[in-house]
């Protein structure tokens, strides 16, 4: 008659088995961390936050410009016979520009960026024309409030340019990472798509101020 057999029992003490499991988990976490770091995951996190921060500053400066326009419009309205078409274009362009919101989550949408950029460019163009036309009105040139607003607008435009250039640089660094091997594999796995950048040359064309001929007769010099 065969003797009944019993399952073999582990001779490893429970405490040592638990220690081994913890050691294995720690090694697995460390390996995963090294793998993610080596494939650019941490760089994606850093550059993604950097582009969002840069974009927030772009929006901040555009909003500052938009906030200055109502006071500018009210000041210009006080000038008799000022070109109403020029004034209306500024008001309408501001309305369109402030109606288009581009959140950080939409920065990888080229069409959304194009619409935003076009609206801001048109507002810049309308403002440029208004300031150019104002040169034909001595009362406006002598109006201290108008001149103060003009200086603030010029300063804001400079800050917009600086903020926009920083955003362009941060997007370039992010997109290089997203398109280069092997970090492009990480981008595909985690859904890091290239972000839309500014086409500065096109916006410069849109926002180019009109030519003003100060050699003309009367107040019809703006073209």
């Amino acid at each position: 008659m065969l003797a009944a057999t019993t399952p073999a029992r582990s001779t490893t003490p429970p405490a040592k088995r638990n220690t081994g499991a913890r050691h294995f988990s720690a090694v697995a976490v460390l390996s995963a961390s090294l793998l993610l770091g080596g494939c650019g995951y941490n760089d994606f996190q850093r550059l993604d936050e950097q582009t969002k921060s840069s974009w927030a500053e772009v929006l901040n400066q555009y909003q500052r410009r938009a906030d200055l326009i109502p006071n500018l419009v009210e000041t210009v309205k006080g000038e008799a016979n000022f070109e109403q078409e020029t004034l209306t274009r500024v008001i309408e362009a501001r309305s369109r520009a402030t109606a288009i919101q581009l959140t950080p989550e939409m920065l990888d949408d080229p069409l959304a960026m194009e619409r935003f950029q076009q609206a801001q460019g048109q507002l810049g163009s309308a403002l440029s024309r208004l300031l150019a036309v104002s040169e034909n009105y001595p009362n406006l040139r002598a109006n201290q409030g108008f001149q103060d607003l003009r200086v603030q607008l010029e300063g804001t435009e400079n800050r917009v340019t600086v903020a926009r250039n920083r955003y362009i640089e941060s997007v370039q660094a992010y997109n290089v990472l997203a398109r280069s091997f092997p970090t492009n594999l990480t981008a595909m796995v985690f859904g890091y798509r290239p972000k839309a950048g500014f086409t500065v040359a096109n916006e410069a064309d849109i926002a180019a101020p009109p030519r003003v001929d100060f050699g003309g007769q009367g107040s019809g010099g703006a073209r």
Side-chain angles (χ1 to χ4, degrees), residues 74-91:
E74 288 302 315
T75 303
V76 172
K77 279 183 178 179
E79 176 62 35
N81 301 321
F82 190 85
E83 295 182 14
Q84 285 302 310
E85 181 182 359
T86 299
L87 198 57
T88 299
R89 285 182 178 178
V90 170
I91 296 171

Side-chain angles (χ1 to χ4, degrees), residues 74-199:
E74 288 302 315
T75 303
V76 172
K77 279 183 178 179
E79 176 62 35
N81 301 321
F82 190 85
E83 295 182 14
Q84 285 302 310
E85 181 182 359
T86 299
L87 198 57
T88 299
R89 285 182 178 178
V90 170
I91 296 171
E92 293 177 346
R94 180 186 184 276
S95 178
R96 287 192 297 269
T98 55
I100 298 178
Q101 301 297 321
L102 194 64
T103 64
E105 292 73 27
M106 300 169 64
L107 293 180
D108 58 359
D109 185 345
L111 292 179
M113 176 62 78
E114 183 179 355
R115 289 192 295 269
F116 177 88
Q117 183 178 337
Q118 185 177 33
Q120 294 294 341
Q122 289 172 347
L123 176 55
S125 178
L127 276 173
S128 294
R129 178 167 181 79
L130 184 149
L131 295 176
V133 168
S134 70
E135 292 295 329
N136 296 322
Y137 295 85
N139 289 340
L140 278 178
R141 293 203 304 269
N143 186 315
Q144 188 59 47
F146 178 81
Q147 293 303 324
D148 289 344
L149 286 169
R150 182 168 191 157
V151 169
Q152 291 182 60
L153 280 168
E154 290 173 351
T156 299
E157 290 295 343
N158 290 335
R159 284 189 285 270
V160 165
T161 300
V162 171
R164 187 171 55 192
N165 287 341
R166 286 176 179 169
Y167 173 73
I168 291 172
E169 291 173 359
S170 63
V171 166
Q172 182 180 24
Y174 177 94
N175 286 348
V176 167
L177 189 68
R179 291 170 175 151
S180 301
F181 181 84
T183 51
N184 63 329
L185 302 178
T186 304
M188 287 189 290
V189 170
F190 291 97
Y192 291 116
R193 296 190 297 175
K195 298 181 185 292
F198 274 102
T199 53

Side-chain angles (χ1 to χ4, degrees), residues 24-101:
F24 177 79
S25 299
V27 171
V29 170
L30 179 60
S31 299
S33 299
L34 293 174
L35 180 61
L36 289 174
C39 68
Y41 179 82
N42 292 336
D43 290 331
F44 274 115
Q45 299 299 309
R46 175 177 56 82
L47 292 178
D48 186 47
E49 289 302 318
Q50 184 173 309
T51 56
K52 289 177 180 178
S53 175
S54 300
W55 182 247
E57 183 58 21
V58 171
L59 293 181
N60 181 49
Q61 297 306 329
Y62 274 135
Q63 185 61 51
R64 186 175 188 276
R65 179 176 72 173
D67 291 342
L68 290 171
I69 293 175
N71 288 337
L72 181 70
V73 168
E74 288 302 315
T75 303
V76 172
K77 279 183 178 179
E79 176 62 35
N81 301 321
F82 190 85
E83 295 182 14
Q84 285 302 310
E85 181 182 359
T86 299
L87 198 57
T88 299
R89 285 182 178 178
V90 170
I91 296 171
E92 293 177 346
R94 180 186 184 276
S95 178
R96 287 192 297 269
T98 55
I100 298 178
Q101 301 297 321

Side-chain angles (χ1 to χ4, degrees), residues 135-137 213-222:
E135 292 295 329
N136 296 322
Y137 295 85
D213 182 8
F214 293 109
Q217 299 295 324
S219 60

